[in-house]
């Protein structure tokens, strides 16, 4: 039985990845932060599953800001695969807390990589780093592995540091390390302060008469949106390759915030123009206008393709919110 260690297991991607790996027969270990609020709803169904899952899922208290905890967990678990999904992942919020974002998203990865080296797991395990399309920033689309990076937020800058650290540990120490440069990926498990989930929640609440309006920022921003289930499948496939590499994971199609609103509100027979207002608080100091990825390398080397369309994704998210309100 292979052992996998997932940082950020309680997040959207971590929960879907845990499901995937448990289905494949892995023993899954997750790192969770100690906090006053119990934030495990995305994996609660796995904890409560019949013994076949519950007996293969283990949680450990730790944090990417605590190198001693990382060393202790790595020594205890001895994982075959490590998936680093933990991060302060909200772009707009990173402008408000740039130092914390750097501590977790940049230095946290350096701590984890060096823990792998110090514990002696370099030749024993494979490492996945969650990089991001935000690193491309103002580079014109379509963006692939050879596109220059031009980060335009503290989040993107921190992620770029960690991306290059992974490259250096791969080359310098021979670590089987891959970075997935993932474009936007969503699901009903997306955080409530991300625009896709925010739109889905508002559409459902407005339909039910529980909310009157929705405040947003730049409606013209275009993103390459896919489903988180498709994207965690790509993470797994990367670590099954003979050597580490960097891969863009994307659908190759873009949609604006306006298109997102169109699909979400029309699902409930509503006209978003009657409810959406613009609020300066939600505009970024430096905007990224268009992100669209070219995932042909991943398709060529390990056959990855997205299976869930943008329309299916938005419909699923809106339907989920309606179920929660009924």
């Amino acid at each position: 039985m292979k052992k996998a260690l997932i940082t950020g297991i309680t997040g959207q991607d971590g929960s879907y990845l845990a499901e995937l790996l448990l289905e494949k027969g892995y023993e899954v270990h997750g790192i969770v932060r100690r906090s006053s609020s119990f934030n495990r709803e995305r994996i609660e169904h796995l904890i409560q599953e019949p013994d076949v899952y519950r007996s293969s899922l283990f949680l450990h208290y730790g944090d990417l800001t605590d190198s001693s905890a990382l060393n202790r967990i790595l020594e205890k678990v001895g994982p075959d695969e490590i998936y680093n999904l933990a991060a302060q992942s909200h772009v707009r919020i990173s402008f408000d807390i740039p130092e914390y974002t750097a501590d977790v998203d940049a230095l946290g990865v350096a701590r984890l990589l060096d823990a792998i080296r110090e514990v002696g797991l370099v030749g024993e395990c494979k490492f996945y780093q969650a990089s991001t399309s935000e690193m491309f920033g103002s580079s014109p689309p379509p963006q692939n592995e050879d596109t220059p990076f031009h980060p335009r937020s503290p989040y993107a800058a921190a992620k770029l540091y960690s991306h290059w650290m992974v490259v250096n540990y791969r080359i310098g120490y021979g670590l089987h390390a891959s970075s997935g440069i993932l474009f936007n990926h969503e699901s009903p498990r997306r955080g409530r302060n991300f625009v896709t989930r925010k739109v889905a929640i508002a559409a459902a609440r407005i339909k039910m008469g529980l909310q009157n309006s929705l405040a947003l920022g730049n409606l013209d921003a275009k993103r390459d949106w896919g489903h988180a289930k498709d994207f965690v499948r790509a993470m797994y496939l990367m670590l099954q390759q003979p050597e580490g590499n960097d891969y863009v994971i994307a659908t190759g199609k873009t949609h604006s915030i306006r298109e997102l609103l169109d699909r979400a509100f029309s699902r409930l027979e509503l006209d978003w123009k009657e409810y959406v207002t613009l609020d300066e608080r939600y505009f970024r100091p430096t905007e990224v206008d268009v992100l669209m990825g070219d995932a042909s390398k991943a398709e060529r080397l390990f056959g990855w393709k997205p299976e869930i369309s943008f329309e299916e994704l938005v419909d699923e998210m809106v339907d989920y919110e309606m179920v929660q309100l009924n």
Side-chain angles (χ1 to χ4, degrees):
M1 180 182 290
K2 282 187 177 181
K3 292 182 183 180
L5 176 66
I6 303 173
T7 72
I9 193 171
T10 60
Q12 169 189 255
D13 292 5
S15 64
Y16 282 122
L17 180 62
E19 286 177 353
L20 176 68
L21 296 176
L22 287 168
E23 288 169 2
K24 292 184 177 295
Y26 278 64
E27 179 179 296
V28 175
H29 296 256
I31 296 180
V32 296
R33 288 180 298 166
R34 174 71 180 92
S35 69
S36 57
S37 59
F38 206 65
N39 182 29
R40 299 184 187 178
E41 62 269 13
R42 294 185 182 96
I43 59 171
E44 192 63 34
H45 64 292
L46 297 177
I47 297 172
Q48 301 300 330
E49 280 286 339
D51 288 345
V52 62
Y53 279 178
R54 191 167 61 239
S55 63
S56 300
L57 178 62
F58 304 89
L59 301 179
H60 309 264
Y61 284 117
D63 195 297
L64 289 183
T65 63
D66 185 348
S67 56
S68 64
L70 295 176
N71 283 48
R72 171 178 51 79
I73 293 169
L74 289 181
E75 284 186 318
K76 180 178 180 180
V77 175
D80 300 291
E81 297 173 4
I82 300 173
Y83 296 85
N84 181 41
L85 311 183
Q88 190 301 102
S89 58
H90 197 285
V91 178
R92 177 61 190 85
I93 292 174
S94 75
F95 287 97
D96 300 325
I97 49 172
E99 183 179 345
Y100 175 75
T101 300
D103 195 18
V104 176
D105 297 7
L107 295 180
V109 179
R111 294 183 188 102
L112 183 53
L113 287 168
D114 217 48
I116 293 171
R117 184 184 63 83
E118 287 187 0
V119 174
L121 292 176
V122 167
E124 307 297 323
C125 75
K126 300 176 181 179
F127 180 81
Y128 170 83
Q129 167 61 18
S131 288
T132 171
S133 59
E134 289 287 338
M135 299 188 307
F136 292 123
S138 57
S139 289
Q143 293 108 355
N144 61 28
E145 293 82 4
D146 297 319
T147 301
F149 295 121
H150 287 141
R152 292 175 65 86
S153 68
Y155 167 74
K159 281 290 193 175
L160 186 54
Y161 172 91
S162 59
H163 179 85
W164 283 115
M165 285 295 285
V166 171
V167 172
N168 277 274
Y169 273 70
R170 183 167 67 218
I171 296 172
Y173 297 109
L175 177 64
H176 187 300
S178 292
S179 288
I181 307 174
L182 272 55
F183 281 63
N184 295 65
H185 48 289
E186 321 295 321
S187 76
R189 300 182 192 174
R190 189 58 144 149
R192 296 174 67 90
N193 58 350
F194 288 85
V195 67
T196 49
R197 183 81 189 282
K198 190 175 179 180
V199 166
I201 291 171
R205 286 179 57 82
I206 289 170
K207 181 67 175 181
M208 300 297 290
L210 301 173
Q211 185 171 326
N212 297 319
S213 64
L214 168 63
L216 294 175
N218 181 11
L219 303 186
D220 296 315
K222 294 183 177 180
R223 294 293 182 268
D224 184 331
W225 275 304
H227 199 296
K229 281 185 177 180
D230 282 336
F231 282 48
V232 300
R233 179 166 48 86
M235 299 174 190
Y236 165 76
L237 290 171
M238 286 180 210
L239 294 201
Q240 311 316 308
Q241 304 313 302
E243 58 186 25
N245 211 325
D246 302 325
Y247 301 96
V248 163
I249 301 298
T251 71
K253 300 177 182 178
T254 61
H255 299 274
S256 68
I257 303 295
R258 294 179 190 275
E259 291 175 85
L260 169 64
L261 290 165
D262 275 334
R263 185 72 188 190
F265 277 72
S266 64
R267 179 74 171 173
L268 302 177
E269 300 179 328
L270 297 171
D271 182 354
W272 66 267
K273 299 181 185 68
E274 298 178 9
Y275 306 99
V276 174
T277 61
L278 297 183
D279 190 324
E280 291 296 327
R281 293 177 299 168
Y282 300 116
F283 284 83
R284 302 180 187 177
T286 50
E287 186 57 78
V288 174
D289 296 319
V290 183
L291 291 173
M292 181 177 72
D294 171 11
S296 56
K297 178 179 176 180
E299 180 180 354
R300 182 177 73 255
L301 294 184
F302 52 83
W304 181 86
K305 282 185 179 181
E307 296 176 352
I308 303 169
S309 70
F310 170 77
E311 293 77 15
E312 291 170 328
L313 165 65
V314 177
D315 290 351
E316 179 188 351
M317 293 182 71
V318 172
D319 292 349
Y320 172 84
E321 299 304 334
M322 288 298 293
V323 170
Q324 301 310 301
L325 293 176
N326 286 323

